[in-house]
């Protein structure tokens, strides 16, 4: 599930509990930044040596606990 705003997005992800949320976001932001800069070279020139993605981040987790059903 994805929601897109003018200056932000909302994602609902399903990930292994062995992965730290900060590492998941680091990967997503880094990879998407590289893809965007490859597709739009003017972004690479504009943001060279600076932060392309904002440093702000809000994470919320929900837990699917199968133990409740036993």
């Amino acid at each position: 599930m994805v929601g897109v705003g003018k200056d932000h997005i909302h994602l609902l992800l399903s990930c292994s509990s062995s992965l730290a949320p900060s590492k998941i976001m680091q990967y997503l932001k880094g990879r998407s930044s590289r893809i965007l800069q490859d597709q739009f070279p003017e972004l690479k020139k504009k943001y060279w040596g600076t932060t392309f993605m904002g440093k702000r981040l809000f994470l919320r987790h929900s837990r699917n606990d199968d133990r409740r059903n036993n």
Side-chain angles (χ1 to χ4, degrees), residues 20-31:
S22 59
K23 287 293 182 188
I24 295 167
M25 292 310 300
Q26 179 183 16
Y27 172 78
L28 289 174
K29 290 171 75 173
R31 184 71 181 129

Side-chain angles (χ1 to χ4, degrees), residues 3-66:
V4 179
K6 181 179 177 181
D7 61 354
H8 66 278
I9 63 171
H10 296 252
L11 298 172
L12 178 60
L13 305 172
S14 177
C15 302
S16 169
S17 60
S18 65
L19 297 171
S22 59
K23 287 293 182 188
I24 295 167
M25 292 310 300
Q26 179 183 16
Y27 172 78
L28 289 174
K29 290 171 75 173
R31 184 71 181 129
S32 59
S33 175
R34 282 190 296 276
I35 290 170
L36 285 170
Q37 290 181 45
D38 286 345
Q39 291 182 359
F40 303 97
E42 65 274 15
L43 293 175
K44 189 179 286 189
K45 292 176 185 174
K46 183 176 181 178
Y47 293 102
W48 181 257
T50 64
T51 301
F52 176 68
M53 296 282 186
K55 293 187 179 198
R56 293 176 51 190
L57 172 65
F58 172 76
L59 294 173
R60 185 175 192 180
H61 104 295
S62 63
R63 184 174 173 177
N64 183 8
D65 193 348
D66 291 332

